[in-house]
């Protein structure tokens, strides 16, 4: 089997480069293009990990290829699962709304009670003032 050309791109880590492409016929590349990557005999296989994607990297210090695995959000497995997930979320929102409505009602009731107490206090003050003026 022939050589495989891997084009490399810089990363935030000085000794690690990301493999950005493969070329199985490197003899078709110019000398300038070959300087942008490395030649290898074979490319290691990535592990198939559910919920992860793999990116191939090259360590310039050790000259080794390795994979990094990143989390990916998987789509729902079926429309039925999507409906179940949305129903679950809807039920959670309904429960939260009930709690908030109850808290709002309690707050309004407390404000009403405060208003009544303030009106009674004002009425008592007015009565006191009115009786002092008569004396």
């Amino acid at each position: 089997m022939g050589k495989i050309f891997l084009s490399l791109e810089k990363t935030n880590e000085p000794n690690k480069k990301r493999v950005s492409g493969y070329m199985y016929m490197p003899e078709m590349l110019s000398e300038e293009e070959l300087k942008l990557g490395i030649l290898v005999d074979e490319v290691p296989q990535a592990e198939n990990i559910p919920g992860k994607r793999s990116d191939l990297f090259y360590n310039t210090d050790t000259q080794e290829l390795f994979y990094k695995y990143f989390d990916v959000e998987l789509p729902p497995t079926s429309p039925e699962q999507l409906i179940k997930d949305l129903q679950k979320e809807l039920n959670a929102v309904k429960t939260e709304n009930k709690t908030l409505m109850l808290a709002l009602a309690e707050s309004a009731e407390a404000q009403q009670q405060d208003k009544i107490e303030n009106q009674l206090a004002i009425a008592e003050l007015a009565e006191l003032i009115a009786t002092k003026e008569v004396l």
Side-chain angles (χ1 to χ4, degrees):
M1 183 171 172
K3 294 275 188 183
I4 303 166
F5 174 77
L6 303 178
S7 56
L8 303 174
E9 63 183 31
K10 292 181 181 179
T11 65
N12 293 334
E13 300 175 73
N15 63 334
K16 293 186 179 58
K17 296 194 178 201
R18 185 179 167 279
V19 175
S20 59
Y22 300 77
M23 176 69 162
Y24 290 94
M25 296 176 61
E27 60 274 2
M28 298 182 73
L29 297 173
S30 69
E31 286 298 318
E32 289 299 312
E33 290 171 317
L34 287 171
K35 290 178 183 175
L36 299 175
I38 58 169
L39 290 171
V40 297
D41 292 322
E42 62 182 340
V43 177
Q45 288 292 328
E47 292 180 49
N48 186 10
I49 303 172
K52 303 271 187 185
R53 72 173 168 79
S54 60
D55 284 351
L56 184 58
F57 287 83
Y58 177 70
N59 185 319
T60 56
D61 292 341
T62 63
Q63 300 181 345
E64 292 177 330
L65 293 169
F66 64 95
Y67 284 95
K68 281 188 180 181
Y69 297 89
F70 301 92
D71 291 332
V72 292
E73 192 168 317
L74 296 176
T77 55
S78 67
E80 291 82 10
Q81 184 62 46
L82 178 59
I83 290 170
K84 284 180 184 177
D85 292 346
L86 290 173
Q87 188 64 49
K88 185 177 179 180
E89 187 175 339
L90 178 62
N91 290 338
V93 169
K94 283 181 178 180
T95 301
E96 183 180 4
N97 281 348
K98 284 180 186 176
T99 304
L100 291 172
M101 287 173 28
L102 181 59
L104 185 59
E106 288 173 354
S107 176
E109 186 179 325
Q111 286 179 350
Q112 186 65 28
Q113 185 63 36
D114 288 347
K115 182 179 175 183
I116 292 169
E117 289 173 4
N118 286 340
Q119 288 173 340
L120 287 173
I122 291 170
E124 286 178 26
L125 268 172
E127 189 178 325
L128 263 171
I129 293 171
T131 55
K132 286 211 177 207
E133 287 181 5
V134 174
L135 296 173

